[in-house]
Amino acid sequence: FYDGAVAVYNLREKTNTPAYLSSAKSGKHTDPVWQVYWQENDLDNQLNFFSISSDGRVTCWSLIKNELQATDIILIKMEPESDVDSGVGMDLACGTCFDFHKSTDYLFLVGTEEGKIHKCSKHYSSQFLDTYEAHHMAVYAVRWNNFHPRVFASCSADWTVKIWDHNYSEPMFTFDLGSSVGDIVWSPYSATVFGAVTDDGMVHIFDLSQEKYEPLCQQSVVQKKKTKVNHLAFNKHYPIIAVGDDRGNAMTLKLSPNLRKALREKTYSKENEIAKMEKLLELVREPSNK
């Protein structure tokens, strides 16, 4: 919620009242919460999820009996502009988004309002594993690739989408979409397909294996200047995407045959998808990039 609270609802209960709601006593955030993410049950088999907020905290919430229990996983510290200690308390960056690695449980990425992306570990609460000078404005989404373990994507208010190998400090691909990019999502059926949505009401679909420089499709789905498209999701089983806007509306769109080529290919497998992305990375990677 915008007031810093997080809530859990039980859809089987015919009520608008949340089953769990954070409070100041339980450690609620002090600024707006921008994203939550369910995790596997903990060692005690308790349900738990993570949240990120503008207050600079990434917090784990455990559902214990009738209450939420908070544990701060990491504080997003701002890098000092100089080596001089001002004597002022620690400044925290504004967290905007995060994503957890698909196979390495402890590894996750954090995007900030300042444009940086931090690679973090659940095991180290006081430091980052790496920091990428990713964007010039706020990062709105970071997404690990569903197939290739080293690849992630980011998008920002600076109009760009960037594709990264997390072992390198510079992006492998950069796309300027001409408007603030609200969300980016990898396809569940291809390592090289992703979609993005922009403030000018457009949906963009890319397939890096077919076209490395331009989207395969750009389509306006809402009235320009009146509505901003800010979220996107792929259906895991059908060639359908869902799009959400800033007025609370959601719509579904069907991908045309040329945009779902991977679904029809008989050679489709996780190994083939990883190899396809690896081939692309080798084409653009230079020894000086690291």
Side-chain angles (χ1 to χ4, degrees), residues 59-188:
T59 303
C60 175
W61 300 89
S62 298
L63 282 62
I64 300 176
K65 295 183 178 179
N66 295 319
E67 65 178 11
L68 288 172
Q69 187 176 87
T71 304
D72 286 340
I73 300 302
I74 199 165
L75 300 178
I76 312 169
K77 300 175 184 177
M78 293 189 70
E79 295 179 357
E81 296 182 1
S82 69
D83 296 331
V84 180
D85 187 356
S86 64
V88 182
M90 175 181 62
D91 290 328
L92 298 180
C94 296
T96 53
C97 55
F98 59 0
D99 194 29
F100 289 83
H101 197 272
K102 306 303 180 187
S103 56
T104 307
D105 177 68
Y106 62 82
L107 192 64
F108 65 100
L109 298 166
V110 170
T112 68
E113 196 172 278
E114 294 74 27
K116 298 180 188 294
I117 296 174
H118 302 295
K119 183 166 64 174
C120 308
S121 169
K122 294 179 186 177
H123 303 320
Y124 300 102
S125 61
S126 60
Q127 63 185 27
F128 307 127
L129 301 179
D130 206 348
T131 295
Y132 308 90
E133 301 290 338
H135 294 276
H136 302 298
M137 298 176 72
V139 182
Y140 285 151
V142 286
R143 309 280 188 188
W144 287 105
N145 190 275
N146 291 317
F147 297 91
H148 199 293
R150 296 198 315 274
V151 175
F152 70 90
S154 63
C155 68
S156 167
D158 69 3
W159 298 9
T160 64
V161 165
K162 297 185 179 184
I163 310 299
W164 306 78
D165 179 330
H166 79 83
N167 291 329
Y168 291 77
S169 60
E170 297 295 327
M172 297 297 172
F173 298 93
T174 299
F175 304 96
D176 187 332
L177 300 189
S179 184
S180 177
V181 189
D183 198 7
I184 180 173
V185 180
W186 290 102
S187 155

Side-chain angles (χ1 to χ4, degrees), residues 180-184 195-199 202-204 229-232 243:
S180 177
V181 189
D183 198 7
I184 180 173
V197 291
T198 47
D199 275 5
M202 302 286 287
V203 175
H204 310 255
V229 185
N230 49 20
H231 284 292
L232 172 71
V243 178

Side-chain angles (χ1 to χ4, degrees), residues 1 10 12 39 45 51 71 94 100 123 127 148 159 180 191-192 208 215-216 228 231 234 236 245 254 259 267 280 289:
F1 292 112
N10 186 345
R12 291 178 296 183
Q39 289 280 283
N45 204 33
S51 62
T71 304
C94 296
F100 289 83
H123 303 320
Q127 63 185 27
H148 199 293
W159 298 9
S180 177
T192 58
L208 300 177
L216 293 183
K228 296 179 181 179
H231 284 292
F234 279 85
K236 292 183 179 181
D245 64 34
K254 187 175 182 179
L259 301 179
T267 57
L280 275 172
N289 279 359

